[in-house]
Amino acid sequence: MLNALTAQPKDKILMLMQMYKEDPRSDKIDLGVGVYKDASGATPIMKAIKAAEQQLWQDETTKAYTGLAGDQGFLDAMVGLVVGDAASRDRVAAAATPGGTGAIRQALELIRLASPGATIWLSNPTWPNHPSIIRYLGMPMAEYRYFDDASRAVDFDGMMQDISKAKQGDVVLLHGCCHNPTGANLNLSQWDEVTQLLAKTGATPFVDIAYQGFGDGLEADAAGLRHLVSNLPETLIAASCSKNFGIYRERTGILMAISGDAAGTATAQANLAFLNRQNFSFPPDHGARLVTMILGDAKLRQMWSTELEDVRQGMLKLRKQLAQELRDRSGSDRFGFLAEHRGMFSRLGASPEQVEKLRKDHGIYMVGDSRMNIAGLNAQTVPLLAQAIVDAGV
Ligand code: LMR
């Protein structure tokens, strides 16, 4: 039986991770996978996570199963962090999932139950795992324009034109903040226009928010999705704790299905629990419990949000430094967008050949579409990158 299997397409981001690992050069620079790194290149465990883990080790008395949808305390804390008071709690069905990817997968399966044949509208470009999972599930998908290559900003007119074709029963997948891979984001008045358009077409928004706190701050990064939630009858949200709590390998995420009323919420909640049971039964708890402890304790929460804010400010500083170095070395403003973008990523606008040259000649690793992870830089490597970019003729 197993010899009937054929090879599966390789994930480009994970492939790049492996290539970087195998590169013997000591001055190589990893701007590939979206994992935060400090100035020394390490991905540290946040102090609040360590403190919560210590406390948990002392206090935890059982490893028995939690609820099928996860622990209620985690769900409430995360709904508070992401949705805030944009919706009353009785409108929000929620389930813990293995990471943000698990939430995306469960959301797609929920969509398939609720609206078989729904087309999923994706930004062009988007995180490659979005179309990969949708294709695997055999669901129809379509693209909306998102990024203007010339200005390296959002192609908002193109986006609105394309989204207007989404029908009632279709789903429009939006990045809550820190668009992956471009780094170009909607402003609040654009979120409002998208909200009005979705209200008109009846298509359901599905927000993937994996970087809350990495863009303009914890509250500002959730403002767009909160606007959708408070103005539309239904919204789906997949949120990840991997990046903003730095607990990548703990696989901590949540799917929220926001309905128009409490009866809709009860049915959605039962469906979320059902889907968890079908796919993996109970969700992982360790990371979720740490997040719950941090969000529920004033001191730990303060410790965490301060460290997260330092991380955000550090990335902003690197963005500004890189834009400045490129201005000085290229004698032009064409890289100014790097300081305007938010989050871990920016799409540089280099050709695949230039990306390859950067890797071969300088040991600089970025994704083939020239997505760079800004957090992979430090004050010393920024000038090296800037010079290499200019030398490669980008
Ligand atoms: C990324 O885009 O690099 C991250 O979300 C990690 C991943 O799983 O691809």
Side-chain angles (χ1 to χ4, degrees):
M1 173 197 77
L2 295 178
N3 55 14
L5 289 172
T6 55
Q8 296 295 341
K10 291 228 163 64
D11 184 294
K12 293 200 176 81
I13 297 173
L14 304 186
M15 246 164 66
L16 195 71
M17 248 170 114
Q18 190 57 30
M19 279 167 77
Y20 176 80
K21 225 165 134 182
E22 286 165 6
D23 188 333
R25 285 174 283 188
S26 61
D27 57 351
K28 59 188 177 176
I29 302 175
D30 182 13
L31 309 180
V33 69
V35 171
Y36 173 74
K37 291 188 183 135
D38 65 15
S40 73
T43 301
I45 300 175
M46 293 177 94
K47 289 187 197 72
I49 289 287
K50 268 288 184 210
E53 268 180 331
Q54 243 160 14
Q55 198 180 314
L56 185 62
W57 184 81
Q58 275 190 334
D59 298 350
E60 194 172 49
T61 53
T62 180
K63 294 282 187 190
Y65 292 125
T66 57
L68 205 44
D71 182 68
Q72 195 59 42
F74 171 70
L75 304 177
D76 291 343
M78 282 300 291
V79 170
L81 183 72
V82 178
V83 176
D85 53 15
S88 59
R89 187 63 183 86
D90 65 359
R91 281 186 61 206
V92 190
T97 55
T101 307
I104 292 165
R105 171 66 188 262
Q106 297 298 77
L108 290 166
E109 297 212 19
L110 189 75
I111 293 163
R112 206 165 50 169
L113 289 176
S115 179
T119 295
I120 316 295
W121 290 77
L122 301 175
S123 69
N124 178 14
T126 191
W127 184 46
N129 214 16
H130 286 153
S132 178
I133 300 173
I134 295 168
R135 204 174 296 119
Y136 175 67
L137 291 173
M139 297 170 78
M141 61 181 153
E143 283 181 342
Y144 60 86
R145 276 168 283 172
Y146 185 78
F147 191 59
D148 176 31
D149 276 321
S151 63
R152 314 265 205 277
V154 177
D155 173 6
F156 191 63
D157 289 344
M159 176 179 181
M160 292 293 279
Q161 273 172 30
D162 293 344
I163 290 182
S164 70
K165 295 181 207 141
K167 299 192 178 60
Q168 168 119 32
D170 283 354
V171 172
V172 178
L173 180 46
L174 299 155
H175 296 225
C177 63
C178 308
H179 185 268
N180 180 4
T182 68
N185 298 293
L186 300 181
N187 62 35
L188 265 187
S189 81
Q190 290 170 327
W191 275 106
D192 181 47
E193 285 187 53
V194 170
T195 306
Q196 289 180 36
L197 182 58
L198 292 171
K200 210 162 93 189
T201 62
T204 301
F206 170 19
V207 182
D208 179 3
I209 182 157
Y211 297 91
Q212 188 182 354
F214 275 34
D216 290 309
L218 277 169
E219 296 302 309
D221 288 350
L225 77 82
R226 288 177 187 171
H227 191 73
L228 290 173
V229 167
S230 49
N231 288 285
L232 295 174
E234 291 185 346
T235 309
L236 294 167
I237 301 170
S240 169
C241 301
S242 297
K243 331 270 165 161
N244 53 4
F245 287 88
I247 49 172
Y248 307 84
R249 65 176 63 169
E250 301 298 353
R251 309 314 298 138
T252 308
I254 179 171
L255 170 59
M256 296 172 239
I258 301 169
S259 315
D261 56 40
T265 306
T267 312
Q269 186 63 50
N271 275 267
L272 293 184
F274 169 79
L275 284 175
N276 272 10
R277 184 67 169 158
Q278 305 321 302
N279 283 329
F280 46 79
S281 202
F282 296 87
D285 182 65
H286 184 72
R289 199 152 293 272
L290 300 174
V291 167
T292 314
M293 290 167 74
I294 290 171
L295 293 178
D297 178 293
K299 216 172 121 205
L300 287 178
R301 191 175 179 129
Q302 181 63 41
M303 199 192 258
W304 165 70
S305 55
T306 303
E307 193 171 348
L308 179 60
E309 182 59 13
D310 288 347
V311 162
R312 187 180 82 80
Q313 293 290 349
M315 287 191 292
L316 269 182
K317 212 167 142 194
L318 288 167
R319 285 187 172 282
K320 288 189 185 136
Q321 189 193 351
L322 182 58
Q324 184 61 47
E325 290 280 353
L326 282 163
R327 193 172 296 125
D328 296 347
R329 283 159 207 266
S330 70
S332 95
D333 268 337
R334 67 181 190 278
F335 296 103
F337 65 90
L338 290 167
E340 306 305 318
H341 286 173
R342 285 294 178 273
M344 261 185 176
F345 306 118
S346 268
R347 187 185 255 195
L348 180 63
S351 66
E353 295 75 32
Q354 289 166 332
V355 170
E356 172 126 341
K357 192 171 160 49
L358 288 168
R359 182 168 55 76
K360 282 204 169 126
D361 296 354
H362 302 277
I364 295 170
Y365 284 73
M366 57 180 77
V367 183
D369 65 354
S370 76
R371 184 193 84 169
M372 303 186 294
N373 174 9
I374 298 293
L377 292 166
N378 62 42
Q380 285 71 45
T381 52
V382 165
L384 303 176
L385 173 66
Q387 192 58 48
I389 288 173
V390 171
D391 291 347
V394 181

